[in-house]
Amino acid sequence: MKILGSIALLGALLTLGGCAATQVAISKHELVVQNKMSESVFLTPTADKTVYVDVRNTTDKPNFTFDAQVKSAIERRGYRVVTNPDEAHFMLQANVLQVGQSSQTASQAGFGGGFGSPLDGALTGMAAAAALNGNIGGRGIGAIGLAAGAADFIAGSMVKDVYFSAIVDIQISERTNSAVHVNGEQHLAQGSSGDERVTYDETTNFKRYRTRILSSANKVNLKWEDAEPVIIAGLTQSVSGIF
């Protein structure tokens, strides 16, 4: 009787684990893609529609780029992409700061700081958070807890809530006919004991606009090869939409 009772209990726990996994599978069965911009950018309308585009990637995924897609999208909006920055009325500079699997909370925190804010604190433990968010269930106590954990592990290994994201800093420089005066200040770390303050004052012929873009994809058991094209499309739409 004890053996039969244990088998019945384990079966019930496996059913509960399966129900939790089924709930996630149902609620996350459709691909959800989101694109957000930290600040709006409004460029001055002009007849000179020449743009220089420079997309960089400082992540551990150097093959991730949307350079060609952005150039094509900008050209479809009536602009001419040039290879010499001295010939451009607008200069678009982009840097990919983060790309890959993450947790939604960490990505939102990294995005929320806006252009130029560090990602170190916001995205520390991102992989661990993604792993936690991707599995179903918790921990039990004793024999029942071990069985429950086994049920959760089986369910979680089959059904994962997967979230991929990319965070990109954008700077657009717009050439002007009049002088633009820029005052700035930087704090440079000097070891662990202090920092050095650097101030500067310059005159340029460019007005600069800065923003940060987050593109994300979320779906149950989502693979990177399926997330990458939609994230690139989202970044392309957000960046080209500025022009």
Side-chain angles (χ1 to χ4, degrees):
M1 294 296 293
K2 290 183 178 181
I3 295 177
L4 292 176
S6 298
I7 293 175
L9 178 59
L10 179 58
L13 291 170
L14 287 171
T15 300
L16 290 174
C19 288
T22 301
Q23 182 179 3
V24 172
I26 293 174
S27 63
K28 300 284 187 175
H29 74 284
E30 291 186 354
L31 179 63
V32 176
V33 181
Q34 293 186 330
N35 303 292
K36 298 180 179 181
M37 183 176 292
S38 62
E39 291 87 21
S40 295
V41 174
F42 297 95
L43 303 179
T44 305
T46 176
D48 188 349
K49 296 182 178 296
T50 51
V51 187
Y52 172 79
V53 178
D54 182 20
V55 177
R56 304 294 178 95
N57 184 335
T58 54
T59 73
D60 58 353
K61 289 183 172 57
N63 294 328
F64 179 86
T65 183
F66 56 100
D67 179 272
Q69 292 88 337
V70 165
K71 289 179 180 178
S72 297
I74 290 176
E75 288 176 336
R76 288 195 297 271
R77 298 181 69 86
Y79 288 78
R80 181 169 63 92
V81 176
V82 298
T83 57
N84 185 351
D86 293 335
E87 298 175 356
H89 184 76
F90 297 103
M91 290 195 295
L92 166 63
Q93 295 171 279
N95 181 35
V96 181
L97 300 174
Q98 178 273 325
V99 60
Q101 188 173 355
S102 63
S103 74
Q104 185 173 3
T105 301
S107 292
Q108 289 293 338
F111 166 76
F115 179 94
S117 63
L119 295 185
D120 294 346
L123 300 181
T124 297
M126 174 177 284
L132 289 174
N133 289 344
N135 291 315
I136 313 300
R139 297 181 178 178
I141 300 176
I144 295 178
L146 290 174
D152 290 342
F153 177 78
I154 293 171
S157 64
M158 295 185 296
V159 177
K160 293 182 181 294
D161 181 8
V162 183
Y163 182 92
F164 287 101
S165 66
I167 298 177
V168 181
D169 271 354
I170 302 292
Q171 175 174 280
I172 298 177
S173 302
E174 178 184 351
R175 196 182 298 275
T176 66
N177 294 324
S178 58
V180 177
H181 300 281
V182 180
N183 296 307
E185 181 176 302
Q186 293 178 314
H187 290 269
L188 308 178
Q190 298 295 318
S192 59
S193 60
D195 61 21
E196 180 179 282
R197 188 180 70 169
V198 177
T199 60
Y200 58 89
D201 187 352
E202 65 175 335
T203 301
T204 74
N205 291 110
F206 286 98
K207 292 188 294 184
R208 293 189 175 92
Y209 309 87
R210 293 169 175 171
T211 188
R212 176 168 287 183
I213 294 175
L214 166 65
S215 180
S216 64
N218 179 224
K219 184 183 178 183
V220 63
N221 294 340
L222 181 62
K223 303 297 182 183
W224 172 243
E225 53 266 27
D226 297 321
E228 183 180 20
V230 296
I231 287 178
I232 288 177
L235 292 174
T236 300
Q237 168 60 33
S238 294
V239 175
S240 64
I242 297 174
F243 292 90

